[in-house]
Amino acid sequence: MSLALVRVDCRLVHGQVVETWVPHTGADCLLVANDELSSNPFLRSVMELAVPSTVCVVFCRLSEAAGTLDEIDRKGRKAILLCATFADALRIHRAGVNFSSINIGNLHYAAGKVEISPSVFFSPEDFDAVHCFCHEGIAVEVRATPFEPATSYEPEKD
């Protein structure tokens, strides 16, 4: 599979992804799996403005992610899969998209969330999803850019 990185970041397409993760991974495609964006041409066009013309940007619904990744693979492209939430990444994984690690870039604060790092806050549902990923052997790391040390995240044992 042509999947270079799976990233959970509520901002989806932004400078850290375009300027650091794309060159670091050698990706030439950003796959944004998000139901809201896939049906909002204005927001999609705003995000596309942040990406150089040498990088392909594909938006799809969560239910279409596996098929879209197959198509990207057939075209010989290397993709970064971007999800806004752990729930989205877990749904894609359960639909048959396999990956060995997941990168957490940024999850904003909201009432009821717990600070994991200065830019990452987990809800109770996030903890449940991380537990599912870890249980399936998928490494979870908090790392904004490839130039920072990764902090592995593992839930406490039951």
Side-chain angles (χ1 to χ4, degrees):
M1 179 175 282
S2 58
L3 200 50
L5 177 74
V6 177
R7 182 173 171 97
V8 173
D9 189 323
C10 60
R11 301 169 297 172
L12 296 169
V13 177
H14 59 89
Q16 286 178 345
V17 172
V18 173
E19 295 296 325
T20 65
W21 285 107
V22 166
H24 178 75
T25 60
D28 61 357
C29 181
L30 297 175
L31 173 57
V32 183
N34 185 280
D35 289 346
E36 181 182 344
L37 274 177
S38 70
S39 61
N40 188 325
F42 175 73
L43 287 178
R44 288 194 318 258
S45 68
V46 169
M47 288 197 172
E48 288 171 333
L49 289 174
V51 181
S53 61
T54 55
V55 177
C56 173
V57 184
V58 178
F59 295 90
C60 71
R61 298 187 59 79
L62 295 171
S63 61
E64 301 166 341
T68 304
L69 276 167
D70 287 343
E71 188 175 318
I72 289 168
D73 194 42
R74 279 192 297 276
K75 292 179 179 176
R77 292 189 170 271
K78 191 173 181 181
I80 294 175
L81 171 61
L82 299 169
C83 302
T85 68
F86 274 116
D88 291 352
L90 189 58
R91 183 172 164 193
I92 291 167
H93 177 66
R94 287 183 172 160
V97 175
N98 293 313
F99 43 87
S100 60
S101 64
I102 189 164
N103 168 267
I104 307 163
N106 192 309
L107 292 171
H108 289 162
Y109 172 79
K113 287 189 165 188
V114 175
E115 182 176 358
I116 303 300
S117 78
S119 62
V120 176
F121 297 85
F122 282 4
S123 68
E125 295 80 16
D126 293 331
F127 283 109
D128 291 344
V130 168
H131 185 81
C132 289
F133 283 126
C134 290
H135 181 73
E136 294 186 25
I138 297 171
V140 178
E141 70 170 25
V142 176
R143 189 175 184 193
T145 73
F147 309 113
E148 297 175 355
T151 302
S152 294
Y153 183 81
E154 293 184 28
E156 294 181 17
K157 303 285 182 202
D158 294 330

